[in-house]
Amino acid sequence: MHVVPLRQRPAFAALTAHHARVRDLSLRALFAGDPARAARLAFDVAGLHVDFSKHRATAETVDLLVRLAHESGVPARIEAMFRGDRINTTEGRSVLHVALRAPRGTRLVVDGEDVVEKVHAVLDRMAAFSERVRSGAWTGHTGKRIRAVVNVGIGGSDLGPAMAWEALRPFTDRSVAFRFVSNVDGTDLVEALRDLDPAETLFVVVSKTFSTVETMTNAASARAWLLAGLGGDARAVARHFVAVSTDLARVRAFGIDPEATFGFWDWVGGRYSMTSAVGLSTMLAVGPDRFRELLDGFHAMDEHLRTAPLERNLPVLKALLGVWYAQWFGAAACAVLPYDQALRRLPAYLQQLAMESNGKRVRLDGTVVDHPTSPVWFGEPGTNGQHSFFQLLHQGTPFVPADFVVCAHPSHGLRAHHDLLVANALAQAEALAFGRTEAEVRAEGTPDALVPHRVFPGDRPTTTIVLDRLTPAALGALVALYEHQVLVEGVVWGVDSFDQWGVELGKVLATRLRDELTADGEPARGRHDASTEALLRRLRAARRAAGGAG
Ligand code: G6Q
C-alpha cells in the first residue's frame, strides 16, 4: 500500500513555517492574549473532561494539524477500521477491537459473518462462568470454593487485565485474591503461588496463540504445582484451569476442556484485547454487570471517534498534538502521570499500547521513514513521580509533554489525602506550563548565585484528563481515548500500528541460546559475537557449578 510520506503532504510544509512563527510564543502569552482559551480547548466526552489548553498551540496550529489529518487520510482509515477492512496490512488482518464493545443487536459483517453476534456469544459464556465462580457454584477438585484467581499470560494477555484489576479494585470481590503471572522468571510464579491453596486456586491461562514460551512454561509449572498439591489426580486440571485463546486445538492438547475455553479472533490484537475474553479475570473480579459498564465506556469513546468532526475529536486532537511535539519540538519522550494510585499500572499498559504499535521505522509500503515516530512513553503515579523524575520535566534539557489523569472523587474516605493529591496535580501542570521567571525568582530575594538554579523555564505542555470517579465506564473511555490516539498517530506517520515484527528476532535467538546454555558439550565457536560467547561460557560454568547439566 503506497503512502504519501509525511513530509510530502502540503500541510507539513505549512506546519513547518507555522512552527517557526509560534515556537517562541509562551503559554503565558497565549493565555494572556485569549481569555476564552481555557474554555475553548477543554472538552467533555464520554464522561471525561479533557483540557488541552496548556499546549503550545494556537487556533491556527489546530487548523493546520487537522488539515494534516485530512491529508493523511485519517477519516478514511477510521472508517476502514470500523468496516473491518484489513488495515493491518503486514499481517493481512482486520483490526476490530471496536466490535468487542459494540452493543448487542448491532451488526458488523466481516467475511460474511456478523462478528458482533459472535462477540456476545462469548461474553454470555464468560458471564455464566463468572457467575458460577463468584457464587461458589463452581468449585475446585476437592469441592472447595475458589478463593484465588491467577491470570497467566504476557504482554497483551497480561497488561490489560492486570491494569484493570488494580484500577477497579473497589468494585471487586475482596474475598478472592487475584494474581498476575507473566515473566518467565520463576520468581514471578513462585511468589504468586507461595501463600495460595491449590484446592482453592483457579488458573486463567491467557494466550492468543497458546504457544508463547513464557505463558506455556508458567502454565506447565502451575499445572505441576496444582497436581503436587492435590495428590496427582490429573482430573483436577479441569476444575482449576480455564483458557482464553484463539487456538482451541492447542488448548485441548494442554488438557483444558473446550467447555472451559473462551475464544477470540485474529482480528483482536494482543495489546487491544482487554475487552475480549482476555478480560475474563477482570470479569471474574468485578462481575458481568460492571464488565458491561467497562465495555460501554470503551464504546462511548469509539462512537466519539467515529462520529465527531476532527477538530473536536479527542483522540484525533491528542494524536495530532503528539505528532506536533515529536516532529517539530523534538519530543522523544512523553509522560503519563496518573494522580490515582489505582491507575498505577496505566503507564505500563500504555507503554505497550503506544510503543509496540508505533515504534516503527518503515511505512506501510516498506519505505523507511525520514521523521520521528513514537516517542518513549513512561510514567509513575502522582505524587511519587514528583519526588523522582519531575526534576527533569521541569528543568531538564529534554522536552517531555505530559498527561495528568485526575479523579474528582476518591474511591476511599480519606478526603484530606485526596485534596492534597488533586492540588499537587494542578500545581505540577501549572508549574510546568508557566514556570517561574528570573525576575520572579529575584523578587523573592533569592541570592544571585542561586537565581539560575531556581528559574523554571515553563512552556512544558500538558493535557489534563479529569474523571469524575474511577468507575469501570470511565476507565473504558480513558483506555479507548489512548487506543484511538495511537491509531491516529500511526495513520499520520504512515506505519502499521497493529503488527510487532520487532519482537521476533530476540525470540528466535533465545531459543538457540537456551539450547546452547543447556547442551552437554561445549557449543561450537563462531556462532555468536565474542561478547555473547564469553557471557554464554560464564553462565554455563555457573550452571555446571550449581549441578545443572552441561
Ligand atoms: C501484543 C503483542 C504481544 C502479545 C504477547 C502474548 O499486541 O502481540 O504482547 O500479546 O506476546 O501473546 P499470546 O497472547 O499469543 O500469548
Side-chain angles (χ1 to χ4, degrees):
M1 171 183 178
H2 178 63
V3 186
V4 177
L6 175 56
R7 286 172 182 279
Q8 290 173 24
R9 293 172 216 152
F12 186 92
L15 277 158
T16 302
H18 170 74
H19 174 251
R21 288 196 300 277
V22 300
R23 70 172 160 225
D24 295 327
L25 264 184
S26 68
L27 283 168
R28 286 183 188 228
L30 287 174
F31 274 89
D34 179 3
R37 183 178 177 84
R40 197 165 45 79
L41 290 170
F43 301 85
D44 286 281
V45 169
L48 307 184
H49 177 78
V50 182
D51 178 6
F52 289 125
S53 65
K54 293 196 192 76
H55 280 288
R56 293 176 61 176
T58 64
E60 192 189 356
T61 318
V62 177
D63 285 351
L64 290 172
L65 286 169
V66 168
R67 234 172 77 191
L68 180 67
H70 279 290
E71 289 174 10
S72 307
V74 167
R77 193 65 69 79
I78 292 172
E79 267 180 45
M81 176 175 79
F82 278 92
R83 221 180 17 237
D85 289 7
R86 297 182 191 276
I87 63 167
N88 176 359
T89 54
T90 72
E91 296 180 322
R93 289 178 179 165
S94 306
V95 174
L96 273 175
H97 43 280
V98 291
L100 300 169
R101 22 314 164 134
R104 200 186 290 277
T106 52
R107 279 172 67 77
L108 209 171
V109 179
V110 178
D111 297 336
E113 267 190 312
D114 178 12
V115 295
V116 180
E117 200 183 313
K118 294 204 291 191
V119 163
H120 282 275
V122 174
L123 280 171
D124 289 345
R125 287 188 57 232
M126 288 165 63
F129 176 70
S130 298
E131 291 294 23
R132 289 185 71 196
V133 173
R134 286 164 60 86
S135 68
W138 176 285
T139 54
H141 183 60
T142 64
K144 280 186 160 179
R145 205 179 160 142
I146 297 301
R147 293 283 174 209
V149 173
V150 181
N151 191 89
V152 179
I154 193 165
S157 297
D158 165 69
L159 287 161
M163 181 274 291
W165 177 75
E166 287 271 1
L168 301 178
R169 247 199 274 192
F171 301 92
T172 62
D173 177 350
R174 302 290 189 151
S175 67
V176 180
F178 281 81
R179 304 272 161 86
F180 296 84
V181 174
S182 53
N183 199 334
V184 75
D185 183 339
T187 301
D188 206 7
L189 184 71
V190 168
E191 291 298 330
L193 301 185
R194 184 171 296 281
D195 58 349
L196 299 186
D197 175 355
E200 299 182 337
T201 301
L202 178 71
F203 291 95
V204 181
V205 183
V206 186
S207 178
K208 184 173 167 180
T209 54
F210 230 72
S211 61
T212 304
V213 68
E214 290 91 338
T215 303
M216 292 303 104
T217 306
N218 278 323
S221 298
R223 192 177 192 272
W225 174 84
L226 181 92
L227 293 182
L230 294 181
D233 185 350
R235 285 173 308 173
V237 172
R239 305 299 301 174
H240 293 270
F241 274 80
V242 297
V244 175
S245 186
T246 57
D247 195 329
L248 305 187
R250 280 180 191 270
V251 173
R252 191 171 303 133
F254 182 86
I256 297 176
D257 188 347
E259 285 300 305
T261 304
F262 302 87
F264 60 117
W265 308 274
D266 71 357
W267 40 262
V268 182
R271 56 195 174 275
Y272 296 87
S273 67
M274 63 176 278
T275 49
S276 71
V278 169
L280 181 61
S281 66
T282 314
M283 195 191 269
L284 284 164
V286 302
D289 291 346
R290 294 293 192 185
F291 192 79
R292 186 70 252 171
E293 291 169 20
L294 176 77
L295 299 187
D296 290 345
F298 272 93
H299 180 66
M301 189 58 74
D302 297 344
E303 282 301 282
H304 171 74
L305 172 79
R306 198 173 64 79
T307 59
L310 298 194
E311 59 279 8
R312 280 185 283 121
N313 195 312
L314 263 49
V316 172
L317 290 173
K318 209 163 174 311
L320 291 172
L321 288 164
V323 172
W324 173 235
Y325 293 126
Q327 184 68 43
W328 285 280
F329 290 78
C334 66
V336 186
L337 309 166
Y339 274 66
D340 194 304
Q341 185 66 16
L343 292 174
R344 196 168 74 81
R345 297 287 285 156
L346 183 67
Y349 176 82
L350 295 180
Q351 272 178 347
Q352 181 192 26
L353 182 67
M355 296 201 280
E356 200 165 49
S357 296
N358 288 335
K360 307 283 164 69
R361 57 181 281 283
V362 297
R363 301 186 184 92
L364 285 160
D365 59 7
T367 54
V368 178
V369 298
D370 52 1
H371 52 75
T373 58
S374 178
V376 172
W377 287 52
F378 73 104
E380 278 290 317
T383 57
N384 297 2
Q386 291 174 210
H387 297 262
S388 144
F389 57 80
F390 271 47
Q391 165 64 41
L392 178 146
L393 300 186
H394 285 288
Q395 292 184 316
T397 51
F399 179 82
V400 186
D403 289 353
F404 285 81
V405 183
V406 186
C407 295
H409 297 283
S411 55
H412 54 73
L414 301 178
R415 189 78 233 182
H417 288 243
H418 192 68
D419 291 340
L420 264 175
L421 180 73
V422 169
N424 269 280
L426 295 179
Q428 291 297 327
E430 189 177 25
L432 285 163
F434 304 111
R436 199 158 54 154
T437 64
E438 190 179 325
E440 288 166 349
V441 174
R442 281 194 196 287
E444 287 166 357
T446 309
D448 281 355
L450 278 184
V451 169
H453 298 278
R454 302 195 60 172
V455 167
F456 285 67
D459 290 326
R460 305 195 171 206
T462 58
T463 300
T464 299
I465 303 172
V466 183
L467 282 56
D468 190 43
R469 285 174 199 280
L470 185 49
T471 58
L475 180 69
L478 180 68
V479 174
L481 171 67
Y482 282 102
E483 283 181 348
H484 303 326
Q485 171 186 351
V486 167
L487 162 80
V488 175
E489 285 177 343
V491 176
V492 176
W493 285 323
V495 300
D496 187 332
S497 302
F498 303 102
D499 61 13
Q500 54 282 315
W501 299 105
V503 303
E504 297 301 327
L505 176 60
K507 284 190 202 170
V508 173
L509 295 180
T511 307
R512 195 201 298 171
L513 278 159
R514 195 253 318 257
D515 294 346
E516 290 167 346
L517 186 67
T518 55
D520 286 339
E522 276 304 309
R525 297 274 173 126
R527 299 188 67 189
H528 301 278
D529 60 278
S531 162
T532 306
E533 284 193 349
L535 290 166
L536 183 60
R537 275 198 300 280
R538 195 183 175 91
L539 289 163
R540 276 177 57 87
R543 211 171 166 273
R544 260 196 312 274

